[in-house]
Structure formats: C-alpha cells, structure tokens
Amino acid sequence: MASDTGTGSPERRPRREGWRWLPGSRLGRLIIVLNLFGLAILISGALVLNELRRGLVNARIDSLTTQGELIATIIDQAATVGEPEPMMDGAYASEILQLLSNPRSQRARLFDAEGRLIADSYWVSDRVEWRTLPPARTRGDGPGLDLNLSGEDDPQDAATAKAEAALRAEVNTALRGVHWAGLRMGADEERVVSVSIPIQHVKAVLGVLTLEARDVDEIIAAERAALLPFILIAISVSLISSLLLNRLIAHPVRRLARAADRVRLARARAISVPDISRRDDELGDLSRSLEDMTHALSERIDAIERFAADVAHEIRNPLTSLRSAVETLGLVEEPAARDRLMAVLQNDVQRLDRLVTDISNASRLDAELSRETPTPVDLRRLISDVVSLYQATARAGEPSVVFTPAEPVEPVMVSGQEGALGQVLRNLIDNARSFSAPDGEVRVGLSRQRGRAFITIDDDGPGIPPENLESIFERFYTSRPKGAAFGGNSGLGLSIVRQIVVAHDGSVRAENRRPEGAAEGGGEEDPRAVAGARFTVILPEARR
C-alpha cells in the first residue's frame, strides 16, 4: 500500500520576496529587467544623438542668419551707390566681405541683382576647393588609359551640377526678397547648412549674400563615434544576459529533459537533479514536482507489482484445489465421496468468482478516484441511507445494523465521492456482521470534533488479536474465527477501505473495545477483556 505522503521528496521552501512591483514570476521579472536594461542603454544613446543633431543644425542656422544679416546690413549701408536707382558697388562689397574675415569652417558668397557671383570667401583666403579625382578609365577599343578629360559621364560632375542647381534655386529665392535657410547637399555629397539673405535697399534687392557651413557631417561623425561606446555596452549587456538566461534556464531544462529520458528508457526509477531542486524559482519548483511525480509513480508501480504477485498467489490456491479435485474425481467411485468432491469444486469456483470480482473492483478503484470530482457529501444522510438498506434487506438469523449518531442533529459535510464513501461503510459493516453472532448488533456512530468527522463501527465479536490491528488492512489478509467457512472472504475489503479513506485525506484504525466495568488492569490478550472490535474512520470536514 503506497503511503499518502511521498517520502524522500525535497522540502518546499518559502520563496523570497523581490521585485514584486514587476508583473510575472521571478524568472520572468529577471528576464524583463535584463533585456530592458540593454535596450534602454541603446535607446538613450540614440535619443541623445538625435537631439544633438537637431540642435546642431538649428544652432548653425541661427548663427549663420545672425552673421549674414549683419554683413548684409553693412554692405547695404556702405556699398550702395546711385539715386534714385541704387546699385551695389561690387568691388567695394567684395572688400567689405574680405575685411569681415569669415571663419575657415564657413564659406561666404556674394551675388549681384542678376544672380552672378561677384565675391567668394575662398578667393580671398588660402582655402582651396578640392574633390577626389575619379578612377582612371580604360579605352573601349584596346589597352591603355582613356585620356578624355571632358568629364562626360563623371558621377562627381553630376553631383557638382546638382549642387550648383540647388544653389541657384536658393539664390533665386533670395532675389525675390525671401530669406532661405536649411540643409542641402554639396558637390562632394556632404550636408551643407546654408542661409541666403537678400541685400535690400528700401524695397530694392541689390544682391544676395549666401553663408555656408560644411562641418555638419564631421560633427555628426564625431557624435556617431561617441555613440559607439553605448552600442558596445548594449551588445555586451545583451550577450551577458543571453549567457545568463542560457545558464539559468536552457541548461537546467536540458538536464531535466535528459533525466526524464533516463526514466523513460527505464534506466532510472525517478528524476533526481539535486542542484536544480535547491533553486528558489520556477525551475526549482518544476524539478521538485517532477521528483515527487516520479517518486509517486515509482511507488505506484511497486504497488502494482506487489498487487500482481498477491493476485497470482491468491488465485493459485483455489486453482490447486480445483486441479486436485478434478484429478481425484475420476478415481472415486463412491457416490458420497464424489458428492464431497463436487461440493469442493463448487466452493472453489465460487471462491474464484469472488476473487476475480474483488480484484477487478480494487484495480479500478484508483482510476475511479482520480477521474471523479470531489463534491460535498452529507455523512449523516449517507450513513442513514446505507443503514436503512441493511435494515430493509435483513433476514432472520442475521446481525442487525443500527445508526446511533451523536448530538446535535445537524449535517456533517465532507468533501469527497459519495459512491466511494458508501463502499467504505458497506465494507466495514459487512466485516463487522461476519464476526457477529446471529442475534448480534452492529452499531454505526457519527460525531465531529475540531473540524474532523468520526465514523465508528462497533461489533460484539471476538475482537482482533493485538498483533494484527494493522496487518488486517493489508491486501488478501484473512483471519476468520473457528467454524467460519474457508474462502468465504477475499481479504480485499479492509484494504479497499484504507485506500479510499487515504484518497480522501483521512485515516482509518482498528481497536478492541473493552466491556463496561472491566478493570483497567485487564490485558487485551485476555478474551474476557474484549467486548468486540471497533473501526474508526476520520475524515476532514468540508470548508464552508
């Protein structure tokens, strides 16, 4: 009989508190924190870079606009000649542009009212505009280099033409008296922050001043280089978190799977991974649950093996008797002896039938108990119904059955399966009646105490030997009084009782009753000190 509590299973430890403000389980919270930490670093770096790039462009536009308005005002005041049709003195305006000496990172151009370039800060400084030469091209008609310097089909010439077109459009916009500020692409396909400011005298547009800053790409490249440590840190955190997750989750799960394979391949009877079972997380719970499950399955397999051996042993006895009677029947010629052998054969057949029926019921019991859902059961009503059935079907010369419940008269509710509990009552009552005298009485009692229900079945029989008070619940155990018919019981009734009661989280015990007024010193080994047997079933009451 398997115990109701698994032995050898690791003790469940209380789980530590931590990170309760995050949703999910402990491992789930750990995974969330590790993954979000690296992602937060990367997002923070990207946000910082975007803000700096946007602020850099805006700052450059504001700076160039302020400088351009100042230079345009000076040129308007100092280099404007002619009334009433004013004109800009190009030579004097160029000198003014040279005197203002723009920073080396900027380029200033001056256009007249027709959009012609009349001054360029590159002309009055040591700054030389340059670009990379295109790769050498081979001639299509043979070996050697193509010495055509016309620049046709040169992608850099196309970029230059595109940049000049953008500049002309910008200057034309300013010639209409509109300030222009923004980003455009230069000849080297670099970003250029440019502002074009019209030089106006009253309402007449005398020219256009264009200021450019070409260091935006350099600053952005520097910012990207500054972002590289953030990226490396984020990658490192992601790698470390992945390794930790592999170490904490993937590797233990793989070990559990291999342990389960060993159990499946019959190389082990139970899963045992001690270092995982000691963990205080979901994997530790899983490992302990698997150990408990396989331990329970191992105990059940052992119980089935013992049950099969007991069944084989019990069936062998009537089969041996049957074979002997059949072999002897052909040698006996006296009618009386043949009648006795026929009676033996009938008795053995009935015994086999009873054994097969009880064994079938016992083998189905586990499956039935696991399939049915527990429901509230009123023990007072159940006992009354069972006892009433015995009273209604009682025959002359059979012991009577009475129900003597304790007060108060109110329902005693337990959680379980009514059919299985009814079988417990019938088996105990049948056992008590088999040991009672024909005019005897079997008394069924019911009481409650401290949240538990107590069912007692008393008889007036010879009692139970003290050394057998526990062994009577073993399978196929039979101990009948002298004169009882041999083979009249299968020895499974009390075993089934304990199996059902344990499945309901209860217990059952047997004891001998002492007669009223018996001396305390009288030992139970003295038959005169025993008034009968008592079986007590203890079940937990259902929560209300």
Side-chain angles (χ1 to χ4, degrees):
M1 185 74 182
S3 174
D4 57 326
T5 57
T7 59
S9 60
E11 182 181 358
R12 305 274 181 175
R13 294 178 296 174
R15 187 172 299 170
R16 293 189 295 269
E17 299 290 331
W19 295 346
R20 290 297 182 187
W21 55 274
L22 283 176
S25 61
R26 186 171 183 267
L27 273 181
R29 291 190 290 269
L30 180 61
I31 292 173
I32 292 174
V33 169
L34 289 177
N35 287 337
L36 289 184
F37 186 64
L39 186 60
I41 294 176
L42 186 61
I43 292 176
S44 299
L47 289 177
V48 170
L49 176 62
N50 289 336
E51 290 298 328
L52 287 177
R53 181 184 301 171
R54 188 179 300 109
L56 172 65
V57 172
N58 293 335
R60 280 297 191 193
I61 290 176
D62 293 341
S63 175
L64 292 177
T65 301
T66 302
Q67 295 179 34
E69 290 177 350
L70 176 61
I71 296 174
T73 301
I74 294 175
I75 292 176
D76 174 43
Q77 296 295 328
T80 300
V81 295
E83 290 293 344
E85 295 183 357
M87 297 179 57
M88 183 177 61
D89 187 349
Y92 192 43
S94 178
E95 292 178 2
I96 295 174
L97 187 64
Q98 180 180 3
L99 291 174
L100 292 177
S101 61
N102 292 294
R104 293 175 58 85
S105 60
Q106 296 179 6
R107 182 176 184 177
R109 303 184 197 187
L110 187 61
F111 298 87
D112 61 11
E114 302 298 329
R116 295 187 296 268
L117 180 65
I118 60 176
D120 192 337
S121 61
Y122 280 9
W123 297 348
V124 294
S125 66
D126 58 355
R127 176 69 181 267
V128 178
E129 186 175 10
W130 62 275
R131 65 175 183 267
T132 305
L133 290 174
R137 300 190 300 270
T138 58
R139 293 182 300 183
D141 55 352
L145 297 177
D146 185 3
L147 300 180
N148 180 16
L149 302 179
S150 62
E152 296 179 359
D153 299 329
D154 187 352
Q156 289 192 352
D157 288 344
T160 301
K162 186 177 181 180
E164 290 177 353
L167 177 61
R168 284 196 299 271
E170 179 181 339
V171 171
N172 291 333
T173 301
L175 287 175
R176 294 194 297 269
V178 179
H179 284 65
W180 191 98
L183 279 172
R184 58 179 171 82
M185 300 302 296
D188 295 332
E189 296 185 351
E190 61 180 355
R191 292 182 180 88
V192 177
V193 178
S194 176
V195 295
S196 293
I197 301 173
I199 301 175
Q200 292 179 295
H201 186 78
V202 189
K203 292 185 178 181
V205 177
L206 306 180
V208 174
L209 175 65
T210 300
L211 296 180
E212 301 174 356
R214 298 175 175 266
D215 58 349
V216 175
D217 282 339
E218 297 177 1
I219 297 176
I220 292 176
E223 292 174 359
R224 288 176 177 171
L227 183 62
L228 184 61
F230 291 94
I231 297 175
L232 294 177
I233 292 175
I235 294 175
S236 301
V237 170
S238 298
L239 289 176
I240 293 173
S241 64
S242 299
L243 293 175
L244 284 175
L245 293 177
N246 180 70
R247 179 74 177 176
L248 293 174
I249 299 177
H251 184 63
V253 169
R254 190 182 306 114
R255 292 186 59 192
L256 286 175
R258 291 175 180 173
D261 288 338
R262 287 195 298 270
V263 174
R264 178 177 58 86
L265 297 175
R267 292 199 293 259
R269 293 297 293 269
I271 290 179
S272 179
V273 190
D275 54 338
I276 299 179
S277 300
R278 289 193 295 267
R279 288 179 51 165
D280 188 23
D281 54 26
E282 286 74 10
L283 285 178
D285 291 342
L286 175 61
S287 177
R288 290 188 288 270
S289 297
L290 288 176
E291 288 186 6
D292 292 344
M293 180 189 69
T294 53
H295 181 77
L297 290 176
S298 178
E299 287 187 342
R300 181 166 294 184
I301 291 172
D302 293 339
I304 292 173
E305 292 174 352
R306 291 193 300 268
F307 182 74
D310 293 342
V311 167
H313 175 74
E314 291 298 322
I315 291 180
R316 185 179 294 112
N317 291 333
L319 285 178
T320 302
S321 177
L322 276 172
R323 184 177 59 184
S324 300
V326 170
E327 292 175 353
T328 307
L329 186 62
L331 303 176
V332 175
E333 297 180 356
E334 296 181 3
R338 293 179 66 89
D339 292 340
R340 287 196 300 270
L341 287 176
M342 291 299 297
V344 171
L345 288 174
Q346 292 177 358
N347 184 47
D348 288 339
V349 169
Q350 292 176 358
R351 183 182 176 193
L352 276 176
D353 180 70
R354 186 164 41 253
L355 274 173
V356 171
T357 301
D358 291 346
I359 290 169
S360 176
N361 293 334
S363 62
R364 286 200 314 267
L365 187 59
D366 277 340
E368 292 176 354
L369 290 176
S370 61
R371 280 197 301 263
E372 297 183 10
T373 303
T375 57
V377 179
D378 184 357
L379 286 182
R380 184 180 297 274
R381 181 188 57 79
L382 178 62
I383 296 174
S384 298
D385 293 344
V386 172
V387 171
S388 299
L389 180 62
Y390 276 99
Q391 291 174 350
T393 59
R395 298 178 181 177
E398 291 183 347
S400 61
V401 181
V402 296
F403 180 33
T404 57
E407 297 295 338
V409 182
E410 60 181 15
V412 179
M413 305 300 296
V414 297
S415 179
Q417 300 171 13
E418 185 171 346
L421 293 176
Q423 185 176 359
V424 168
L425 293 173
R426 290 192 299 272
N427 287 3
L428 291 176
I429 292 174
D430 289 341
N431 180 78
R433 293 179 69 194
S434 67
F435 285 96
S436 300
D439 57 348
E441 183 180 70
V442 175
R443 295 168 296 279
V444 182
L446 176 63
S447 61
R448 63 200 311 178
Q449 184 179 1
R450 296 180 180 179
R452 295 185 298 174
F454 292 80
I455 304 173
T456 58
I457 292 91
D458 296 344
D459 61 45
D460 298 327
I464 306 170
E467 65 275 9
N468 294 337
L469 289 175
E470 186 62 28
S471 59
I472 60 174
F473 293 102
E474 297 177 359
R475 284 193 300 266
F476 301 111
Y477 175 85
T478 55
S479 177
R480 313 304 301 177
K482 293 181 180 180
F486 176 74
N489 295 274
S490 63
L492 289 173
L494 295 181
S495 173
I496 292 175
V497 167
R498 170 162 284 184
Q499 187 177 358
I500 295 175
V501 172
V502 169
H504 286 74
D505 297 327
S507 62
V508 57
R509 66 172 184 262
E511 59 185 338
N512 289 319
R513 294 188 301 106
R514 298 172 61 85
E516 296 182 3
E520 292 293 336
E524 288 192 355
E525 64 277 2
D526 184 3
R528 294 173 297 178
V530 177
R534 169 177 292 173
F535 288 84
T536 304
V537 177
I538 305 174
L539 296 172
E541 287 192 77
R543 296 181 180 178
R544 299 184 180 179

